[in-house]
Amino acid sequence: QKEEQVQEFFIDENTLEIQNPIHLKMSEPSEVSTRNKQTIYLDKDLLKFPLVLKKWSKGDYICLIGMKGSKKISKYFKDLKYSLLEKENIWLLYNANNDVIWIVSNRQDRRFAATNSTKNILKISTI
């Protein structure tokens, strides 16, 4: 059995854009505007850098906005009836301490979401 190489891409606090493995743009807007699957707004003060972009692994979970408690990523994918290929092609953004922040272009974790009282907002968008 071949051990699959875990690919991790690190995003430090001052990064404005990454091209690889996916195209993300970071900025610090003064307020939260439209959230959608391609754009998230984070409370920068709650983040631990560097952020890490990688594939999900067993046991990872997310605290979805609008939902109590947490949900395993594997269960989330199963509920959406994702194929194996779809699951393998999805990137997740993690905090430096391995908390899931965002299932990229999908759902954001509420623990790091910016609110109206957030002072330091980090906006991340997929391009």
Side-chain angles (χ1 to χ4, degrees), residues 51-95:
L51 303 182
V52 183
L53 200 58
K54 62 182 179 177
K55 303 292 184 171
W56 71 285
S57 45
K58 230 184 170 105
D60 286 349
Y61 68 91
I62 188 166
C63 297
L64 295 168
I65 292 173
M67 197 185 100
K68 282 188 166 68
S70 61
K71 187 171 208 159
K72 286 203 164 166
I73 302 287
S74 55
K75 174 96 172 83
Y76 176 76
F77 288 158
K78 190 177 177 185
D79 290 350
L80 291 177
K81 298 183 170 38
Y82 277 17
S83 69
L84 186 61
L85 187 64
E86 285 172 310
K87 290 185 224 175
E88 287 174 355
N89 285 323
I90 289 184
W91 289 93
L92 276 73
L93 185 65
Y94 293 80
N95 226 347

